[in-house]
Amino acid sequence: MPIYDYIYGTVDKSLDTLYEISLQRKEETPNVVHLMHLTTPESIYHLRVGFAYLASKPYSSAWYLWLLWPVTLWFMMLTRIYRRTFVVERNRFHQLRLQTWAIPNFREQYHLKWQKESINNMIEEAVLEAEEKGTSVLSLGGKELNRYGEVYVKKHPQLKVKLVDGSSLVVAVLLNSIPKETTQVLLRGNLTKVAFAVAFSLCQKGIQVTVLREDEYEKLDKSLGTKSEGKLVISKSYSSCKVWLVGHDLTEEEQRKANKGTLFIPFSQFPLKNLRKDCFYHTTPAMQTPKALENVDSCENWLPRRVMSAWRIAGILHALEGWEEHECGYTISNIDKVWEACLKHGFQPLTVPTQPKS
């Protein structure tokens, strides 16, 4: 406040008018909105609205955050009362205005059947809010919970905002994370839309896809049929492959059965616990962002600074390219087209960990 200007009579006469005008300025409308949710109660401290120091570093649990349990408990109670999304980040990429909205729910709540309706209602409210604001694209990440966004498109067929679940780019990132000399991949984990699409693409490329469980083999075989080109096999051996594509439900016991030098590549949104010092762990599907992306002063969950998840990048690409279709439900867009567009706009793949020679 210009208190000394008021005291000595040097205050600018237009100050109050300027202040009133600034209050009347319309709220900035985002071109692209990315919808996320909190992972754990303590994850709020790793956002911009929490502690800047923690937000600037990849997410990891810290013992001293337990000292804040009264505040954490209060926040958890607040999320039960305030059932609306809130803005956690604003960025700019060329002419695009980007915002990240958070849903006040935690990871574990998505596994509870009795929470399904409540979560879907909050996501629907966010979609309609983005529609009202004139947002072009909303990326929401792939969730079986709402059939990867298809529920909202069918319920509101006149939606102008394009819903993007990001699966196509996620598949492209995974395919380009596998070392070029690979001839065999082990697929293990909850079979999501991404897992089916990756298995199909690998079989088409002539790479053998090995699964360990009969139920997983039956689901994949039923989905792929003759398109598997005979490259889908079932095996009881954990040591047959050096490259594992895995979901977050891979058990610790299964990790320990992998050969020395195995490369673990997650296809889910959540990273694996790094149990093996003699193996290599890739990040969750993500890419390095271009320097043109502004206001990147915090990390996205466990990813390093200026590294963005493929689910989030997909929405930005959709807006940059002016694609008019929704990317949701169980359909996959042209993977090569999405990958080429991503590289064209300056997003770069992350380095694949080098495996030791066997």
Side-chain angles (χ1 to χ4, degrees), residues 199-200 203-204 207 220-221 224-232:
F200 171 76
C203 289
Q204 292 293 301
I207 297 175
L220 285 168
D221 187 54
L224 302 181
T226 57
K227 296 178 182 178
S228 67
E229 305 289 343
K231 292 296 182 179
L232 179 65

Side-chain angles (χ1 to χ4, degrees), residues 62-72:
W63 65 268
Y64 50 81
L65 291 180
W66 285 99
L67 301 176
L68 297 174
W69 71 263
V71 180
T72 306

Side-chain angles (χ1 to χ4, degrees), residues 133-151:
K133 288 177 179 290
T135 300
S136 301
V137 178
L138 185 143
S139 56
L140 66 170
K143 293 290 183 186
E144 179 68 36
L145 181 76
N146 46 55
R147 296 203 299 272
Y148 305 97
E150 187 180 39
V151 167

Side-chain angles (χ1 to χ4, degrees), residues 301-339:
N301 294 321
W302 36 79
L303 297 173
R305 182 88 71 88
R306 300 201 71 86
V307 172
M308 186 179 287
S309 70
W311 289 273
R312 187 176 171 189
I313 295 172
I316 300 173
L317 282 184
H318 216 82
L320 288 170
E321 292 293 312
W323 292 328
E324 291 298 323
E325 71 279 2
H326 295 286
E327 187 195 345
C328 54
Y330 293 94
T331 59
I332 290 284
S333 301
N334 186 307
I335 295 172
D336 292 332
K337 182 181 77 169
V338 172
W339 181 250

Side-chain angles (χ1 to χ4, degrees), residues 18-257:
L18 179 63
Y19 176 70
E20 295 295 332
I21 292 174
S22 67
L23 289 179
Q24 295 172 5
R25 189 181 67 177
K26 292 183 178 180
E27 183 182 359
E28 185 178 71
T29 301
N31 302 111
V32 181
V33 167
H34 177 64
L35 202 59
M36 59 161 284
H37 64 81
L38 302 171
T39 52
T40 63
E42 295 82 16
S43 63
I44 186 66
Y45 303 125
H46 291 262
L47 301 177
R48 284 185 176 184
V49 296
F51 297 117
Y53 170 76
L54 293 176
S56 67
K57 298 179 179 296
Y59 173 79
S60 61
S61 57
W63 65 268
Y64 50 81
L65 291 180
W66 285 99
L67 301 176
L68 297 174
W69 71 263
V71 180
T72 306
L73 182 61
W74 174 83
F75 173 71
M76 291 178 66
M77 294 175 62
L78 184 63
T79 59
R80 291 183 176 274
I81 301 170
Y82 185 78
R83 308 290 288 173
R84 289 181 59 84
T85 57
F86 56 95
V87 180
V88 296
E89 191 169 355
R90 291 179 173 86
N91 307 102
R92 190 174 281 271
F93 186 49
H94 299 309
Q95 301 302 314
L96 290 183
R97 296 180 297 275
L98 316 175
Q99 288 186 8
T100 300
W101 298 356
I103 297 174
N105 280 103
F106 309 110
R107 174 183 174 182
E108 295 304 322
Q109 290 175 285
Y110 281 76
H111 302 297
L112 303 174
K113 290 184 178 181
W114 60 274
Q115 288 275 8
K116 179 179 178 180
E117 183 178 356
S118 172
I119 294 172
N120 275 337
N121 287 340
M122 274 193 290
I123 297 174
E124 183 179 357
E125 288 175 7
V127 170
L128 296 178
E129 183 180 351
E131 173 81 356
E132 185 179 350
K133 288 177 179 290
T135 300
S136 301
V137 178
L138 185 143
S139 56
L140 66 170
K143 293 290 183 186
E144 179 68 36
L145 181 76
N146 46 55
R147 296 203 299 272
Y148 305 97
E150 187 180 39
V151 167
Y152 314 116
V153 174
K154 287 190 173 182
K155 189 174 181 179
H156 305 282
Q158 303 304 319
L159 278 178
K160 293 181 180 179
V161 59
K162 304 306 176 188
L163 301 189
V164 177
D165 76 348
S167 296
S168 302
L169 181 59
V170 172
V171 173
V173 170
L174 290 169
L175 294 176
N176 285 276
S177 298
I178 298 171
K180 292 182 178 180
E181 68 277 6
T182 302
T183 58
Q184 188 179 17
V185 167
L186 187 144
L187 183 65
R188 169 70 193 96
N190 184 33
L191 294 178
T192 61
K193 173 183 175 181
V194 167
F196 280 106
V198 169
F200 171 76
S201 298
L202 290 173
C203 289
Q204 292 293 301
K205 290 176 177 288
I207 297 175
Q208 181 174 292
V209 177
T210 302
V211 293
L212 300 169
R213 300 186 179 184
E214 289 186 12
D215 60 324
E216 293 176 354
Y217 176 82
E218 290 173 1
K219 290 178 182 178
L220 285 168
D221 187 54
K222 182 179 179 180
S223 174
L224 302 181
T226 57
K227 296 178 182 178
S228 67
E229 305 289 343
K231 292 296 182 179
L232 179 65
V233 299
I234 185 169
S235 173
K236 297 294 183 182
S237 173
Y238 284 82
S239 60
S240 59
C241 300
K242 278 294 192 75
V243 178
W244 288 29
L245 286 173
V246 296
H248 64 270
D249 57 338
L250 182 75
T251 65
E252 294 184 5
E253 181 183 358
E254 288 173 321
Q255 274 201 57
R256 291 192 176 95
K257 290 181 179 179

